[in-house]
Amino acid sequence: MARIPLGCEPVIGSLVPSKKRDYRVTNRLQEGKRPLYAVVFNFIDSRYFNVFATVGGNRVTVYQCLEGGVIAVLQSYVDEDCCGLDGISEALLEFSICFVDQKDESFYTVTWACNRDGSPFVVAGGINGIIRVIDAGHEKIDKSFVGHGDSVNEIRTQPLKPSLVVSASKDESVRLWNVHTGVCILIFAGAGGHRNEVLSVDFHPSDMYRIASCGMDNTVKIWSMKEFWPSVEKSFTWTDLPSKFPTKYVQFPVFIASVHSNYVDCNRWLGDFVLSKSVDNEIVLWEPRTKDQSPGEGTVDILQKYPVPECDIWFIKFSCDFHYNAAAIGNREGKIFVWELQTSPPSLIARLSHAQSKSPIRQTAMSFDGSTILSCCEDGTIWRWDAVSSSSSSSSSQV
Amino acid sequence: MASKASPSPSASRSGSLKDASMAKADESAPVSKEIVSVIESLKRHVVDERCVSIKERMDNNRHKLASITSHLQKLSKERRNSWINFADSSLDLLKKRQDDAIGMHSGIGTSSSDKDSDSDQEDSHASTAVLLGTSIPPGKNSVRPIRLPEVKKLPPYTTWIFLDRNQRMTEDQSVVGRRRIYYAQNDGEALICSDSEEENVDEEEEKKYFLESEDYIIRMAIKEAGFSDAVINSLAECFSRKADEVKARYESLTKEEKTSVDSLNVDSEASSLNCFLEKDLEAALDSFDNLFCRRCLVFDCRLHGCSQDLVFPAEKPPPLNRPDLDNLPCGEHCYRSVSKPEKVATDDSPELGDTKDNSVQPSSGSAGTRTSVRKKHTPCARKKAKPSQSESASSIVKNMSDSSDSEIEPQHTASTSHLSPSKTKLGGNGGVSQRNSKRVAERVLSCSKKRQKVVGSDSDSVASGSVLGGDGKLSSSPHKENEDANSSSQKHAKSRSRKRELSIQNLQGEARDGISSGMVTDPPGNNSDVTLRKDDCADGNSCEMALNDNLSWKAFEKSLFEKGVEIFGRNSCLIARNLLNGLKTCVEVFQFMTQGDKRLAYQAGDAANSLGDGYSKFEHQGNNEVRRRSKFLRRRGRVRRLKYSWKSTAYHSIRKRISERKDQPCRQYNPCGCQTACGKECPCHLNGTCCEKYCGCGDGSLGVPNQRGDNYECRNMKLLLRQQRRVLLGKSDVSGWGAFLKNSVVKNEYLGEYTGELISHREADKRGKIYDRENSSFLFNLNDQAGWFVLDAYRKGDKLKFANHSPDPNCYAKVIMVAGDHRVGIFAKERINSGEELFYDYRYEPDRAPAWARKPEATGSKKEEPSHPSGRAKKLA
């Protein structure tokens, strides 16, 4: 990439922690042997602000953070897989070939959503490309979305309309679903779509039409569903079979940004700015400047950079607290960097490390007020960190 | 841009700045330190400003975001409340578990008794217990997992877009020159960079533009340190540009500064009239010519691209005609309904006209005389026009003459409806392509010279012509008061009648000697001003009116009107409704039309009497000038485009392939002469082409050929007509997805087309490498005849791309030339029953076939095949 021209330099945060807040490990659980890929707090319903879900292997688990570092398991779901087929002879397998493709589910992502009644849903997806919509209020599977042609890498919920979820997949598409009626509303793919796996996707916090997606084609694409909004509205009242819904293709993004030169594995909106990270040991904050006349074109203004040492492998995702004051990201060596997002220059709140936390941290979750940070690791452990510095009372994330 | 060169971001910050300053310190020893320090301080200033601006923007964003998140928080609270109100009766298990956990937690306190076996509790740092298994079976220490029932997974695929016809790859779809990174599925994380021989990504993109900040530094530095080579050099160093670049930039900056003051004043006046009405129809047609694909009849054809060769068929379809509507007013503004009352007023005229009296009669006679003249000569005109259609040149000329014929005709229909049969006939040939007229302009010019002489002599003899009134009556509009019309008609009766006679003479002469009249090609809009000025306004009011009317017609409307005459003939109802809807009413169109006639007539008369040849010559030159210019504009900046002489007639003989950019002449297409169904002996079939319009087997139309029994059907046209079989997509019995046939077919039946993106071989090679890694290939070599293209159905295609390979297939693929394009048809190799899966032999080049294709039987999944073939596997037909 070219040298950053004069006058366009980003402000780069210093790695010296400001010690505004300090965190201490208060709990650690070993969920299983398989890597945990995602952990996420429920930000949809204020009753559940202290409830979080993790996924790893074929398991989805719902936990609760209690005072004093206690974590309670509330629910656990296991995808039925074809382990039972182990005993079947090879000859039999040839006849039932459809099972051959069926690998053990390995969930990569999870998010919270709810249907129109407000019943809390856990939505998870993974290697099999099937999105599982679990009704946590009734502890049963509610729907399964079949449609993605390959593994699902991330699912996110529209905060303003939490029945809408968007999923990013290896099949190079991003799809918008309605968990209330179970329809696939839009497919963001085609002529202007991603050219390789889509790794991350996020809804704009206030502009309901906008999503940003990024992936292995090194680009971040911003899509608008403004023209397709009637479809979205229609999806809420759809009573026919979900498969009969007239799913539309959105083939052209409104903006394509080449901010990174390698896989872009996580992006999040920060207001109208975008936070994204590649495998370059940093999170980048930039502003997309779209041109209304010529969609798809525009310029990127890189504003700030948040260095994250030893974060050069892909599929490491960061998370923010409810108010986007801070972001936490783990690295390859099991350390966590907590950045104050909205100050300029950015300041590092804390660098969290523990002698036993050595495994790569795939994702972190910050609680509503940022006082609790959870990290889930490649080795199947969940770590809980609670803020200690300012006041001990804030360490409880109960609402 | 994330800088790859600077792996650690902290280094990159200071790096870019320090590097430059260090380098300067070394080299700029002779340069005075002053300059350096000035530049340095300016630089610092720029950087500081940038920081401030970022900070500002971050603050703004934060405020915005704060209100957003507080709104979201409110929503999340509402959700809680609505849930409580709405569903307190129903059971929320999550809530229940939550409460249980809290209860349990408070019960247990911090005593770490209830440890869970699942979690290894060697964490000494946490003094608290891990509260797992909350409730269901209290006492047990783990939650009973809830099983999610199995859902069958889909075979993997990449999201694809359905294409019903091939598309040419657009530039942004190219993978050539793009770095692609792979990850090894087995090693998990390890990144493999793409093939080493991948050409280096062009690092060019020299910073051509000077940024605002750089401009600022240049300006300020020169201001402070003065303009000298030393300053320029150190500036250049600072920006890592060339010194002359900086110098040039400075000069342009100073210039800009000067002009910017002036431009402030100028800016305001421009840009107010950008209504489409201000545009020329020519410009609008330009985009039509360039963007409309004549072969596919769509705009922005994705297959043939824009700026195609334009071919003008010699046969011009007759203008649209709706005889049934001819006598009915088209609406409240129809000229018929308006002119009726006036007709009543002058009701006596027809009777008087019948006398065929040639003497000057102020209030009558016109219609009758004209009709009689007309009746006399129209048959010959028609006769002449018919045979002339074969030779294009003369037919064009003839067409023009015909259109001049038709110019008079609506007036007839206005007063006398019995003429309508002749009208339909004559109107039929009235359409002349503007383009044709351009081409023959020279010819016409020469013709018209001769013509003018004839007209001149003719006109003198008939100068005392008898007609009047008809014009005045018909051209009178609702706005025009009757008195005006009456008084003025008296005044200009003479001149008007003479003109009318002239045009009739003209027609007669033409029918006699077959020479065209050039004046018809002049669009009324162009010459109106000139002619009206030349007519020394003796006509008074009505003429003035005409002028005003004329001015109120915008250029765009005028050209639309012209087109309308070409398409519909001189039918103001149709023109107004179809082309000028909402712009002009039928009456206005009619008026304009009749005034146009008058003008033409004037012009002719003037030309004949006063200026002779020279005048009309001037007219024509003017026209040519305009057209030549617009043509030139069109040609510039567009892709190469072949010009055809107007002599070219049949379009099939000059067709070029898509690859015509290589100047490769194309084999001429020979239609087959089969009289019945095309069998295996059909030359089209043998040549791998598809029967077409000109083949003997069809009925000459592009529609479904006559199907007089099954035997009569030309089976070779199905690809062209898209008569494909229903193909279903489903899970293959062999691997992944498969294509299945819905209804059974017989041998050699056409099943469907294999569509996709048309890509170059170079592109195909690159893509092949990518696809090899994914172990699926949707590349399809169009054979060597097609030369330059490979079909790729990876992201765009149709369901047939999912048909699997088999060495013992039930289908075969064949590349067929269809209307000039190579297309791949899939045909049944044998009888196939409904619901059967379709297979065809991909015909990989032997050494390049992927491993699974080499096996005698395709058993395993192609996606699971671990080995990567080295070559590029492409399907062959």
Side-chain angles (χ1 to χ4, degrees), chain A residues 298-322:
Chain A
T299 53
V300 168
D301 191 4
I302 298 177
L303 302 173
Q304 309 212 93
K305 288 188 174 179
Y306 308 84
V308 185
E310 312 300 332
C311 187
D312 52 4
I313 58 172
W314 67 277
F315 215 94
I316 287 185
K317 305 200 181 215
F318 54 88
S319 67
C320 310
D321 65 312
F322 192 90

mmCIF file of all heavy atoms in Angstrom, chain A residues 298-322:
data_model
loop_
_atom_site.group_PDB
_atom_site.id
_atom_site.type_symbol
_atom_site.label_atom_id
_atom_site.label_comp_id
_atom_site.label_asym_id
_atom_site.label_seq_id
_atom_site.Cartn_x
_atom_site.Cartn_y
_atom_site.Cartn_z
ATOM 1 N N GLY A 298 -16.105 5.894 -3.717
ATOM 2 C CA GLY A 298 -15.988 6.763 -2.561
ATOM 3 C C GLY A 298 -14.588 6.682 -2.012
ATOM 4 O O GLY A 298 -13.746 5.955 -2.536
ATOM 5 N N THR A 299 -14.343 7.439 -0.980
ATOM 6 C CA THR A 299 -13.013 7.426 -0.410
ATOM 7 C C THR A 299 -13.100 7.031 1.054
ATOM 8 O O THR A 299 -14.139 7.126 1.681
ATOM 9 C CB THR A 299 -12.356 8.812 -0.515
ATOM 10 O OG1 THR A 299 -13.249 9.762 0.055
ATOM 11 C CG2 THR A 299 -12.082 9.168 -1.947
ATOM 12 N N VAL A 300 -11.972 6.572 1.531
ATOM 13 C CA VAL A 300 -11.878 6.157 2.910
ATOM 14 C C VAL A 300 -10.962 7.132 3.625
ATOM 15 O O VAL A 300 -9.897 7.467 3.108
ATOM 16 C CB VAL A 300 -11.290 4.733 2.988
ATOM 17 C CG1 VAL A 300 -10.925 4.391 4.397
ATOM 18 C CG2 VAL A 300 -12.271 3.733 2.422
ATOM 19 N N ASP A 301 -11.395 7.598 4.755
ATOM 20 C CA ASP A 301 -10.526 8.446 5.547
ATOM 21 C C ASP A 301 -10.207 7.701 6.832
ATOM 22 O O ASP A 301 -11.084 7.506 7.677
ATOM 23 C CB ASP A 301 -11.230 9.770 5.834
ATOM 24 C CG ASP A 301 -10.269 10.788 6.422
ATOM 25 O OD1 ASP A 301 -9.061 10.462 6.522
ATOM 26 O OD2 ASP A 301 -10.710 11.885 6.794
ATOM 27 N N ILE A 302 -8.985 7.277 6.943
ATOM 28 C CA ILE A 302 -8.609 6.521 8.132
ATOM 29 C C ILE A 302 -8.342 7.490 9.268
ATOM 30 O O ILE A 302 -7.469 8.347 9.173
ATOM 31 C CB ILE A 302 -7.378 5.648 7.846
ATOM 32 C CG1 ILE A 302 -7.718 4.643 6.755
ATOM 33 C CG2 ILE A 302 -6.925 4.931 9.105
ATOM 34 C CD1 ILE A 302 -6.582 3.781 6.333
ATOM 35 N N LEU A 303 -9.114 7.345 10.335
ATOM 36 C CA LEU A 303 -9.031 8.321 11.413
ATOM 37 C C LEU A 303 -8.101 7.863 12.524
ATOM 38 O O LEU A 303 -7.216 8.603 12.948
ATOM 39 C CB LEU A 303 -10.422 8.567 11.986
ATOM 40 C CG LEU A 303 -11.474 9.064 10.991
ATOM 41 C CD1 LEU A 303 -12.828 9.101 11.647
ATOM 42 C CD2 LEU A 303 -11.102 10.444 10.486
ATOM 43 N N GLN A 304 -8.319 6.670 12.994
ATOM 44 C CA GLN A 304 -7.541 6.237 14.157
ATOM 45 C C GLN A 304 -7.154 4.777 14.025
ATOM 46 O O GLN A 304 -7.809 4.002 13.338
ATOM 47 C CB GLN A 304 -8.371 6.406 15.437
ATOM 48 C CG GLN A 304 -8.970 7.777 15.591
ATOM 49 C CD GLN A 304 -9.086 8.183 17.033
ATOM 50 O OE1 GLN A 304 -8.198 8.807 17.560
ATOM 51 N NE2 GLN A 304 -10.185 7.828 17.682
ATOM 52 N N LYS A 305 -6.114 4.453 14.754
ATOM 53 C CA LYS A 305 -5.686 3.064 14.787
ATOM 54 C C LYS A 305 -5.493 2.639 16.223
ATOM 55 O O LYS A 305 -4.956 3.401 17.040
ATOM 56 C CB LYS A 305 -4.392 2.874 13.992
ATOM 57 C CG LYS A 305 -4.619 2.992 12.513
ATOM 58 C CD LYS A 305 -3.386 2.618 11.715
ATOM 59 C CE LYS A 305 -3.725 2.609 10.237
ATOM 60 N NZ LYS A 305 -2.556 2.280 9.408
ATOM 61 N N TYR A 306 -5.917 1.439 16.524
ATOM 62 C CA TYR A 306 -5.808 0.888 17.867
ATOM 63 C C TYR A 306 -4.916 -0.349 17.781
ATOM 64 O O TYR A 306 -5.385 -1.414 17.402
ATOM 65 C CB TYR A 306 -7.190 0.499 18.391
ATOM 66 C CG TYR A 306 -8.233 1.595 18.287
ATOM 67 C CD1 TYR A 306 -8.931 1.793 17.109
ATOM 68 C CD2 TYR A 306 -8.509 2.412 19.364
ATOM 69 C CE1 TYR A 306 -9.896 2.791 17.000
ATOM 70 C CE2 TYR A 306 -9.470 3.418 19.272
ATOM 71 C CZ TYR A 306 -10.156 3.607 18.093
ATOM 72 O OH TYR A 306 -11.103 4.591 17.987
ATOM 73 N N PRO A 307 -3.677 -0.202 18.121
ATOM 74 C CA PRO A 307 -2.757 -1.338 17.964
ATOM 75 C C PRO A 307 -3.125 -2.499 18.897
ATOM 76 O O PRO A 307 -3.535 -2.282 20.040
ATOM 77 C CB PRO A 307 -1.402 -0.750 18.353
ATOM 78 C CG PRO A 307 -1.575 0.714 18.349
ATOM 79 C CD PRO A 307 -3.010 0.991 18.615
ATOM 80 N N VAL A 308 -2.994 -3.670 18.379
ATOM 81 C CA VAL A 308 -3.209 -4.881 19.179
ATOM 82 C C VAL A 308 -2.073 -5.852 18.860
ATOM 83 O O VAL A 308 -2.121 -6.546 17.862
ATOM 84 C CB VAL A 308 -4.559 -5.554 18.844
ATOM 85 C CG1 VAL A 308 -4.808 -6.728 19.764
ATOM 86 C CG2 VAL A 308 -5.698 -4.562 18.913
ATOM 87 N N PRO A 309 -1.049 -5.870 19.675
ATOM 88 C CA PRO A 309 0.090 -6.726 19.382
ATOM 89 C C PRO A 309 -0.297 -8.206 19.360
ATOM 90 O O PRO A 309 -1.242 -8.620 20.031
ATOM 91 C CB PRO A 309 1.055 -6.435 20.537
ATOM 92 C CG PRO A 309 0.614 -5.153 21.114
ATOM 93 C CD PRO A 309 -0.850 -5.061 20.873
ATOM 94 N N GLU A 310 0.433 -8.936 18.601
ATOM 95 C CA GLU A 310 0.269 -10.387 18.497
ATOM 96 C C GLU A 310 -1.146 -10.758 18.094
ATOM 97 O O GLU A 310 -1.734 -11.700 18.610
ATOM 98 C CB GLU A 310 0.592 -11.087 19.828
ATOM 99 C CG GLU A 310 1.888 -10.664 20.489
ATOM 100 C CD GLU A 310 3.092 -10.928 19.610
ATOM 101 O OE1 GLU A 310 3.026 -11.863 18.795
ATOM 102 O OE2 GLU A 310 4.083 -10.185 19.726
ATOM 103 N N CYS A 311 -1.666 -9.994 17.220
ATOM 104 C CA CYS A 311 -3.026 -10.300 16.779
ATOM 105 C C CYS A 311 -2.992 -10.464 15.270
ATOM 106 O O CYS A 311 -3.637 -9.744 14.534
ATOM 107 C CB CYS A 311 -3.968 -9.173 17.198
ATOM 108 S SG CYS A 311 -5.680 -9.540 16.897
ATOM 109 N N ASP A 312 -2.189 -11.412 14.803
ATOM 110 C CA ASP A 312 -1.984 -11.548 13.371
ATOM 111 C C ASP A 312 -2.567 -12.840 12.806
ATOM 112 O O ASP A 312 -2.185 -13.272 11.731
ATOM 113 C CB ASP A 312 -0.493 -11.448 13.054
ATOM 114 C CG ASP A 312 0.318 -12.404 13.904
ATOM 115 O OD1 ASP A 312 -0.299 -13.169 14.664
ATOM 116 O OD2 ASP A 312 1.554 -12.378 13.807
ATOM 117 N N ILE A 313 -3.460 -13.463 13.552
ATOM 118 C CA ILE A 313 -4.164 -14.586 12.951
ATOM 119 C C ILE A 313 -5.596 -14.154 12.690
ATOM 120 O O ILE A 313 -6.079 -13.199 13.274
ATOM 121 C CB ILE A 313 -4.151 -15.833 13.871
ATOM 122 C CG1 ILE A 313 -4.780 -15.518 15.219
ATOM 123 C CG2 ILE A 313 -2.736 -16.342 14.042
ATOM 124 C CD1 ILE A 313 -4.962 -16.738 16.079
ATOM 125 N N TRP A 314 -6.238 -14.832 11.768
ATOM 126 C CA TRP A 314 -7.581 -14.372 11.445
ATOM 127 C C TRP A 314 -8.615 -15.111 12.270
ATOM 128 O O TRP A 314 -8.356 -16.125 12.879
ATOM 129 C CB TRP A 314 -7.843 -14.457 9.954
ATOM 130 C CG TRP A 314 -7.895 -15.839 9.380
ATOM 131 C CD1 TRP A 314 -6.826 -16.593 9.012
ATOM 132 C CD2 TRP A 314 -9.048 -16.593 9.117
ATOM 133 N NE1 TRP A 314 -7.261 -17.783 8.532
ATOM 134 C CE2 TRP A 314 -8.618 -17.813 8.571
ATOM 135 C CE3 TRP A 314 -10.417 -16.359 9.259
ATOM 136 C CZ2 TRP A 314 -9.506 -18.809 8.194
ATOM 137 C CZ3 TRP A 314 -11.289 -17.353 8.874
ATOM 138 C CH2 TRP A 314 -10.844 -18.562 8.349
ATOM 139 N N PHE A 315 -9.793 -14.559 12.244
ATOM 140 C CA PHE A 315 -10.913 -14.962 13.068
ATOM 141 C C PHE A 315 -10.652 -14.658 14.544
ATOM 142 O O PHE A 315 -10.764 -15.502 15.426
ATOM 143 C CB PHE A 315 -11.299 -16.440 12.888
ATOM 144 C CG PHE A 315 -12.798 -16.648 13.010
ATOM 145 C CD1 PHE A 315 -13.593 -16.645 11.879
ATOM 146 C CD2 PHE A 315 -13.404 -16.799 14.239
ATOM 147 C CE1 PHE A 315 -14.967 -16.799 11.970
ATOM 148 C CE2 PHE A 315 -14.786 -16.947 14.343
ATOM 149 C CZ PHE A 315 -15.564 -16.952 13.210
ATOM 150 N N ILE A 316 -10.288 -13.419 14.768
ATOM 151 C CA ILE A 316 -10.288 -12.886 16.127
ATOM 152 C C ILE A 316 -11.197 -11.673 16.086
ATOM 153 O O ILE A 316 -10.991 -10.763 15.278
ATOM 154 C CB ILE A 316 -8.875 -12.491 16.582
ATOM 155 C CG1 ILE A 316 -8.072 -13.754 16.864
ATOM 156 C CG2 ILE A 316 -8.943 -11.603 17.823
ATOM 157 C CD1 ILE A 316 -6.708 -13.494 17.433
ATOM 158 N N LYS A 317 -12.226 -11.709 16.901
ATOM 159 C CA LYS A 317 -13.215 -10.632 16.824
ATOM 160 C C LYS A 317 -13.211 -9.813 18.099
ATOM 161 O O LYS A 317 -12.960 -10.338 19.177
ATOM 162 C CB LYS A 317 -14.601 -11.222 16.593
ATOM 163 C CG LYS A 317 -14.601 -12.115 15.348
ATOM 164 C CD LYS A 317 -15.955 -12.349 14.786
ATOM 165 C CE LYS A 317 -15.819 -13.255 13.587
ATOM 166 N NZ LYS A 317 -16.755 -12.957 12.535
ATOM 167 N N PHE A 318 -13.489 -8.530 17.932
ATOM 168 C CA PHE A 318 -13.549 -7.666 19.097
ATOM 169 C C PHE A 318 -15.007 -7.378 19.429
ATOM 170 O O PHE A 318 -15.912 -7.727 18.662
ATOM 171 C CB PHE A 318 -12.775 -6.370 18.858
ATOM 172 C CG PHE A 318 -13.188 -5.614 17.630
ATOM 173 C CD1 PHE A 318 -14.209 -4.689 17.691
ATOM 174 C CD2 PHE A 318 -12.549 -5.812 16.430
ATOM 175 C CE1 PHE A 318 -14.594 -3.982 16.565
ATOM 176 C CE2 PHE A 318 -12.924 -5.112 15.300
ATOM 177 C CZ PHE A 318 -13.950 -4.201 15.366
ATOM 178 N N SER A 319 -15.212 -6.770 20.567
ATOM 179 C CA SER A 319 -16.577 -6.452 20.961
ATOM 180 C C SER A 319 -16.573 -5.143 21.712
ATOM 181 O O SER A 319 -15.543 -4.706 22.235
ATOM 182 C CB SER A 319 -17.146 -7.548 21.849
ATOM 183 O OG SER A 319 -16.449 -7.560 23.061
ATOM 184 N N CYS A 320 -17.724 -4.516 21.739
ATOM 185 C CA CYS A 320 -17.846 -3.228 22.400
ATOM 186 C C CYS A 320 -18.906 -3.331 23.484
ATOM 187 O O CYS A 320 -19.764 -4.217 23.443
ATOM 188 C CB CYS A 320 -18.274 -2.154 21.405
ATOM 189 S SG CYS A 320 -17.287 -2.123 19.919
ATOM 190 N N ASP A 321 -18.853 -2.393 24.409
ATOM 191 C CA ASP A 321 -19.927 -2.337 25.396
ATOM 192 C C ASP A 321 -21.128 -1.675 24.740
ATOM 193 O O ASP A 321 -21.076 -1.234 23.593
ATOM 194 C CB ASP A 321 -19.473 -1.586 26.645
ATOM 195 C CG ASP A 321 -19.176 -0.149 26.352
ATOM 196 O OD1 ASP A 321 -18.453 0.106 25.355
ATOM 197 O OD2 ASP A 321 -19.639 0.725 27.082
ATOM 198 N N PHE A 322 -22.212 -1.594 25.485
ATOM 199 C CA PHE A 322 -23.463 -1.112 24.901
ATOM 200 C C PHE A 322 -23.315 0.287 24.324
ATOM 201 O O PHE A 322 -23.865 0.597 23.276
ATOM 202 C CB PHE A 322 -24.561 -1.135 25.971
ATOM 203 C CG PHE A 322 -25.936 -0.931 25.427
ATOM 204 C CD1 PHE A 322 -26.694 -2.020 25.021
ATOM 205 C CD2 PHE A 322 -26.483 0.329 25.320
ATOM 206 C CE1 PHE A 322 -27.967 -1.846 24.512
ATOM 207 C CE2 PHE A 322 -27.758 0.516 24.811
ATOM 208 C CZ PHE A 322 -28.502 -0.575 24.404
#
